Amino acid sequence: MYFVELTFNYAKWIFPKYSCDYSNHIYNQPQLFTILAMKTYLKTTYREIIEILDVSDKITKYLKLNKLPHYTTI
């Protein structure tokens, strides 16, 4: 959980919230970056990281994900 907190806080500081003013605003850039960093850190596939997020309520609450992204979104 420490890795997720550190990565998410750093990403909020570095990245803009959304990549474009006209995007759907469902997921913001720090959320997606944190998921991608977790994928790399855990050496999993895109589908596996979504399955991990599906099981982990703590991480999804911390990232404020109302619904999980499809693996192609990442």
Side-chain angles (χ1 to χ4, degrees):
M1 186 68 185
Y2 178 73
F3 177 79
V4 174
E5 292 173 3
L6 184 69
T7 306
F8 187 58
N9 289 330
Y10 182 74
K12 285 193 296 188
W13 187 58
I14 296 296
F15 294 112
K17 191 161 186 171
Y18 299 105
S19 61
C20 177
D21 291 335
Y22 303 107
S23 66
N24 290 337
H25 295 194
I26 298 172
Y27 310 106
N28 59 43
Q29 294 297 310
Q31 290 172 330
L32 295 175
F33 176 78
T34 304
I35 294 170
L36 187 61
M38 285 175 47
K39 177 201 160 303
T40 305
Y41 182 74
L42 298 174
K43 298 177 184 171
T44 61
T45 63
Y46 291 101
R47 291 180 191 210
E48 290 171 344
I49 196 65
I50 297 301
E51 290 174 6
I52 291 170
L53 289 173
D54 190 27
V55 175
S56 176
D57 291 335
K58 257 187 177 178
I59 295 173
T60 54
K61 285 181 184 176
Y62 188 79
L63 294 177
K64 299 175 186 164
L65 293 171
N66 295 330
K67 66 177 193 171
L68 292 177
H70 192 262
Y71 70 92
T72 57
T73 303
I74 303 168

